[in-house]
Amino acid sequence: MKQLVLAEKPSVGRDIARVLKCKKPVNGGLEGDRYIVTWALGHLVELKDPEGYDKKYKIWKMEDLPMIPEKMQVQVIGKTAKQYKAVTALMNRKDVGTIIIATDAGREGELVARYILLKNHNKKPIKRLWISSVTDKAIKTGFDHLKDGREYQHLYEAAMSRAEADWLVGMNATRALTCKHNAQLSCGRVQTPTLALIAQREEEIRAFKPQAYYGFEAFGAGTSFIWQDAKKNTRSFQKEKIEQLEQKMRGEQMMIEHVISKRKKTTAPALFDLNELQREASRKYHFTPKETLNIMQRLYEHYKILTYPRTDSRYLTADIVPTIAERLRSCGVGPYRKTAATILKNGIRAGKHFVNDQKVSDHHAIIPTEQFVNLAELSLEERKIYDLVVRRFFAVLMSPYEYEEMTVLGSVSGEHFLSRTNRTLSAGWKAAYEEEYETEKAVPEMKEGQKIAVLVKKTEGRTKPPVYYTEAGLLTAMEKRGLGTVATRADIIDKLFGTFLLEKKNEGIRTTSKARQLLKLVPTELKQPELTADWEKKLNAISEGRLKRGQFMKEIKDYTGEIVEEIKGSEGKFHHDNMTNKKCPNCGKRLLKVNGKKSRMLVCQDRECGYRETICVLSNARCPVCHKKMELWGKGEDASFICSCGHKEKMLKFKERRSREGAGISKKEVARYLKKQEKEAKEPINTAFADALKNIKL
């Protein structure tokens, strides 16, 4: 009997087929002597739409809510029905005795495979391939240690519970809000509290009142000192007190009271999980979380040079330690050759700061694989992400950073001053980043009891409000509050931009008028991060077998009924304040002006119509005056670049200038760029509930 291997994507399926020597093409897969390998295209099966349970749900009516099916059912996704038919035909072959699930090793990957098996009424035994990289070696090792599929039943139940809970709450709350206010409004148990976090930060900034504060700096003997009061505060809000102290200390010398020298050391930062990598890529390269995840996915699936991206762990398990030397040899090329060779020469020590089995859940931290890397094959963006991971991997394998901390405490007329400087003794892990660490000025030798002449200068400033969330900051806030998972946070942020609930201004994230109105209309509990954090805890408990799925789903069904009733009884109103006078060419209704993540558009207020047109898109072209990214207005050769500083430039003039600057741009490149912008403008502007909402009839 043969074994059928079900992968999540064609690329991974073909890699597995090559390793298993499956070369014969069959409909939907590849066949060998012992195995048949097939693949999904992401999800092939999903939960049924409401009208799949009852035809009356085709028309959205408040009196039909809440929709709570007695038993949730699944349906084949129309766009990928052909591949589903091919997969199930292979599954049902009489010579297939076992199904091996080889989808992504995580909660959602488990759901991809199990929904296919559920829809096909599979009765054949299941095995599970659980690997963290898709190199040939990892695949071979994984097939040598296949798990019994029953070991992952609790994980499947958690995945199914997550999907059903989101369907019940999201579908019902969205329909209730839309029917109540005759507007395209959607909410969900993760996106809505995320939106509320951003709105809360905006309110904190609006309510902030700056205060003036004061302090002192003292300069003497080639050293600068900072004033501290009795409570170690370095600033005071009492202007009169500071002015009195200034008079008191004028012209006085400083008495050196203590000189303290300590040797200190720090270990490298922990390895990357997906959230931390997204934050670092945003901070250093201004990549969005979605961009970072997409790049990581290519480095994992296509190049096979980094391990599984969707991990929430920053540690390795002990069984990975014996593979570290081979990983170092594989990635030790080009700019990494010298550092990798030094680590191998010094020997690998598995420290507790990066090896801890107890702190690894489904997957260990992101690290290089044993696959040899050809850096010339990588794009600039791929090189940047790969570089972040490799250098962090090197850092944890190197010795601590050692330095001498010199603290000098002095007093001027009884007022205390402090100076603290560090001198590098051994760069240790910081050498992995090829930076200079002895940039500090040498501190003149000082002795206790010594008096030095100083110039005391009053300093002043004003307190600053909290900053608007960036995508990196929002990821951190979501993680702290348990909103979403490492696998979903980037998509949630993207969805909020795609549904015009968020917009960017000067790199900061702001809520739109639509979002602010929505938050006033959504039930209070659905806005609170504690709700979804509680859900995630319970889903984890289900996956670990500590909570019954039935108990969780009963709570969700009860909660769904409560929020629908709350929306029905609410008195809030919604109005479009972004309505334009321009009419839709398809249906004649007035168009709405909206700001996307990287574009401005006019969209029809009627979702069933779906018309939209792009006004302008944010390009990568930089303004020659202020160097900010310019907006591209118009199409073809008539297009113009316009900057917020007022600079305007026709496409022809832009190309001439770029050519003069030595960075010529060909017609083909311009056409490719414009085609890409046009394609992005045509992509769906709503996700998750887009298909469900498109047939809205009120």
Side-chain angles (χ1 to χ4, degrees):
M1 297 292 281
K2 292 188 177 183
Q3 299 184 79
L4 181 79
V5 181
L6 175 59
E8 188 161 329
K9 297 177 182 176
S11 59
V12 177
R14 292 189 183 100
D15 287 330
I16 293 173
R18 179 173 43 76
V19 172
L20 299 179
K21 295 181 172 52
C22 298
K23 300 178 181 178
K24 178 185 173 184
V26 292
N27 184 26
L30 294 162
E31 184 172 358
D33 294 335
R34 296 176 55 199
Y35 300 95
I36 304 169
V37 180
T38 186
W39 46 78
L41 303 170
H43 280 279
L44 299 181
V45 177
E46 64 184 355
L47 289 172
K48 273 188 178 180
D49 292 329
E51 52 266 34
Y53 297 98
D54 194 320
K55 297 295 183 186
K56 69 179 182 181
Y57 293 139
K58 280 189 174 182
I59 298 176
W60 293 30
K61 294 180 181 177
M62 186 70 90
E63 54 265 32
D64 291 335
L65 302 179
M67 306 174 292
I68 303 180
E70 190 172 327
K71 183 180 180 182
M72 301 295 281
Q73 299 172 26
V74 294
Q75 64 186 15
V76 177
I77 299 172
K79 292 179 181 178
T80 54
K82 184 179 178 182
Q83 183 63 14
Y84 170 79
K85 189 176 180 181
V87 170
T88 53
L90 293 171
M91 275 185 187
N92 295 333
R93 273 176 43 169
K94 291 182 179 179
D95 61 340
V96 170
T98 305
I99 310 295
I100 299 174
I101 296 176
T103 48
D104 282 356
R107 192 169 75 188
E108 294 309 305
E110 194 71 20
L111 194 65
V112 168
R114 296 294 191 118
Y115 269 179
I116 295 171
L117 297 175
L118 177 66
K119 181 63 179 172
N120 193 45
H121 307 290
N122 176 68
K123 295 288 190 290
K124 294 178 181 180
I126 301 168
K127 291 183 181 178
R128 188 52 158 109
L129 175 72
W130 196 273
I131 53 178
S132 292
S133 60
V134 288
T135 62
D136 290 6
K137 182 177 179 180
I139 292 169
K140 288 174 184 175
T141 304
F143 271 88
D144 288 339
H145 299 87
L146 290 172
K147 306 285 187 181
D148 188 321
R150 289 172 293 189
E151 293 181 28
Y152 297 90
Q153 181 63 24
H154 291 314
L155 182 66
Y156 166 46
E157 289 178 357
M160 192 161 45
S161 299
R162 193 281 309 157
E164 292 180 6
D166 281 345
W167 190 101
L168 288 167
V169 173
M171 285 285 190
N172 280 286
T174 295
R175 286 199 176 203
L177 285 167
T178 301
C179 293
K180 176 78 175 179
H181 302 288
N182 195 22
Q184 300 163 21
L185 303 174
S186 68
C187 64
R189 57 112 184 176
V190 179
Q191 71 171 52
T192 307
T194 300
L195 202 60
L197 279 180
I198 300 164
Q200 182 183 355
R201 175 61 60 87
E202 289 177 322
E203 182 55 38
E204 289 170 358
I205 293 169
R206 279 193 294 271
F208 182 83
K209 294 181 179 179
Q211 285 183 279
Y213 63 83
Y214 310 91
F216 292 103
E217 278 186 289
F219 303 90
T223 308
S224 63
F225 297 81
I226 299 295
W227 169 77
Q228 288 184 329
D229 66 12
K231 295 182 179 179
K232 308 293 185 186
N233 296 316
T234 58
R235 63 185 186 181
S236 171
F237 295 97
Q238 300 176 37
K239 186 177 181 180
E240 290 183 3
K241 175 186 173 182
I242 292 296
E243 288 174 345
Q244 290 171 6
L245 292 178
E246 186 179 23
Q247 293 293 329
K248 173 184 169 183
M249 293 186 287
R250 183 168 293 162
E252 296 293 325
Q253 289 187 312
M254 177 181 286
M255 169 71 75
I256 304 301
E257 297 177 337
H258 297 288
V259 178
I260 305 163
S261 177
K262 288 183 180 178
R263 287 179 68 105
K264 292 189 172 184
K265 58 184 180 181
T266 60
T267 54
L271 293 164
F272 285 119
D273 63 2
L274 179 58
N275 259 11
E276 184 62 22
L277 181 61
Q278 288 170 322
R279 279 192 288 266
E280 185 69 3
S282 175
R283 183 190 66 80
K284 197 167 183 179
Y285 301 121
H286 304 292
F287 290 170
T288 68
K290 188 67 175 177
E291 286 170 340
T292 300
L293 178 56
N294 289 341
I295 294 167
M296 263 299 305
Q297 203 68 33
R298 293 198 297 273
L299 295 171
Y300 164 68
E301 283 184 9
H302 180 68
Y303 299 104
K304 305 174 183 58
I305 53 178
L306 293 183
T307 56
Y308 187 68
R310 291 178 169 88
T311 176
D312 60 359
S313 175
R314 302 185 67 183
Y315 291 84
L316 303 180
T317 49
D319 63 315
I320 298 297
V321 175
T323 72
I324 288 176
E326 188 176 353
R327 295 171 192 267
L328 284 168
R329 285 189 284 269
S330 296
C331 67
V333 299
Y336 313 121
R337 182 177 287 110
K338 183 179 177 182
T339 308
T342 302
I343 295 170
L344 285 166
K345 181 181 177 182
N346 293 338
I348 295 163
R349 299 174 184 84
K352 291 182 179 179
H353 63 291
F354 73 96
V355 179
N356 190 327
D357 288 23
Q358 303 304 313
K359 293 188 177 182
V360 178
S361 51
D362 290 342
H363 294 278
H364 57 68
I366 301 169
I367 59 173
T369 66
E370 303 97 327
Q371 183 88 7
F372 176 78
V373 59
N374 183 353
L375 296 175
E377 292 181 346
L378 306 183
S379 67
L380 179 61
E381 289 77 15
E382 290 163 349
R383 279 286 300 270
K384 287 176 177 178
I385 296 298
Y386 184 73
D387 184 77
L388 289 176
V389 174
V390 170
R391 293 191 187 279
R392 184 65 65 92
F393 179 59
F394 287 166
V396 299
L397 296 170
M398 298 171 77
S399 58
Y401 165 59
E402 296 184 33
Y403 60 98
E404 180 184 45
E405 182 184 82
M406 179 74 75
T407 303
V408 179
L409 299 172
S411 65
V412 179
S413 299
E415 293 301 311
H416 298 288
F417 286 80
L418 175 144
S419 172
R420 183 173 285 135
T421 54
N422 295 334
R423 182 171 67 88
T424 298
L425 301 175
S426 172
W429 61 267
K430 290 196 174 186
Y433 294 93
E434 300 172 351
E435 297 173 359
E436 294 293 332
Y437 294 99
E438 296 197 43
T439 56
E440 306 93 348
K441 292 181 180 179
V443 181
E445 190 174 333
M446 297 185 196
K447 296 179 180 178
E448 294 180 1
Q450 177 183 353
K451 285 191 174 183
I452 60 171
V454 291
L455 172 66
V456 177
K457 181 182 177 183
K458 184 178 76 171
T459 59
E460 58 183 272
R462 294 177 72 81
T463 55
K464 295 180 179 179
V467 297
Y468 288 100
Y469 278 119
T470 60
E471 288 184 81
L474 185 55
L475 279 174
T476 301
M478 292 173 74
E479 183 181 23
K480 285 181 178 178
R481 290 163 178 81
L483 293 172
T485 66
V486 289
T488 61
R489 289 180 189 124
D491 284 331
I492 291 161
I493 295 171
D494 254 30
K495 178 182 177 182
L496 290 170
F497 278 108
T499 49
F500 311 118
L501 294 171
L502 294 181
E503 59 186 352
K504 270 190 176 181
K505 290 183 180 177
N506 302 322
E507 297 301 319
I509 297 175
R510 316 284 180 92
T511 56
T512 62
S513 170
K514 179 181 178 181
R516 292 188 289 274
Q517 289 190 75
L518 176 63
L519 287 171
K520 291 178 181 178
L521 303 174
V522 169
T524 303
E525 193 177 3
L526 199 54
K527 293 183 285 188
Q528 296 172 344
E530 292 79 11
L531 173 70
T532 191
D534 179 59
W535 281 24
E536 284 299 334
K537 284 180 183 176
K538 289 176 179 176
L539 289 170
N540 285 333
I542 293 170
S543 68
E544 294 168 4
R546 295 184 287 107
L547 178 66
K548 295 291 184 184
R549 166 174 144 74
Q551 180 183 336
F552 174 75
M553 291 310 302
K554 184 182 182 305
E555 292 177 13
I556 295 298
K557 289 175 180 178
D558 291 344
Y559 178 67
T560 299
E562 291 170 10
I563 59 172
V564 167
E565 289 306 311
E566 186 173 340
I567 293 170
K568 283 181 179 179
S570 65
E571 297 180 357
K573 301 291 182 184
F574 181 88
H575 66 278
H576 292 294
D577 58 0
N578 58 340
M579 194 88 72
T580 68
N581 288 323
K582 188 171 182 179
K583 291 187 177 181
C584 174
N586 292 346
C587 68
K589 293 179 181 177
R590 287 164 66 188
L591 296 173
L592 306 176
K593 187 176 182 180
V594 296
N595 293 328
K597 193 174 185 179
K598 294 184 178 180
S599 62
R600 283 189 260 173
M601 293 178 254
L602 293 176
V603 300
C604 184
Q605 59 182 290
D606 187 340
R607 181 182 293 272
E608 192 172 1
C609 170
Y611 175 80
R612 66 174 178 164
E613 64 179 79
T614 301
I615 303 172
C616 66
V617 295
L618 183 66
S619 73
N620 287 322
R622 296 282 179 174
C623 173
V625 179
C626 68
H627 305 294
K628 291 180 181 178
K629 288 183 178 181
M630 297 187 289
E631 290 180 333
L632 180 62
W633 292 69
K635 297 178 181 179
E637 293 298 324
D638 293 329
S640 296
F641 290 98
I642 301 177
C643 182
S644 57
C645 74
H647 173 76
K648 296 181 180 180
E649 199 169 20
K650 285 281 188 182
M651 177 64 76
L652 183 62
K653 294 289 184 183
F654 169 77
K655 288 192 289 184
E656 289 175 356
R657 175 173 63 82
R658 294 292 287 159
S659 181
R660 289 196 305 271
E661 291 171 351
I665 181 168
S666 68
K667 287 185 177 180
K668 187 180 287 186
E669 288 172 319
V670 172
R672 191 185 302 121
Y673 176 74
L674 293 174
K675 189 175 181 181
K676 181 183 176 186
Q677 302 285 21
E678 189 176 344
K679 180 183 176 184
E680 288 176 354
K682 290 179 180 177
E683 287 175 351
I685 57 175
N686 292 304
T687 55
F689 293 111
D691 292 337
L693 292 169
K694 69 184 178 184
N695 296 320
I696 175 174
K697 294 177 182 176
L698 299 172

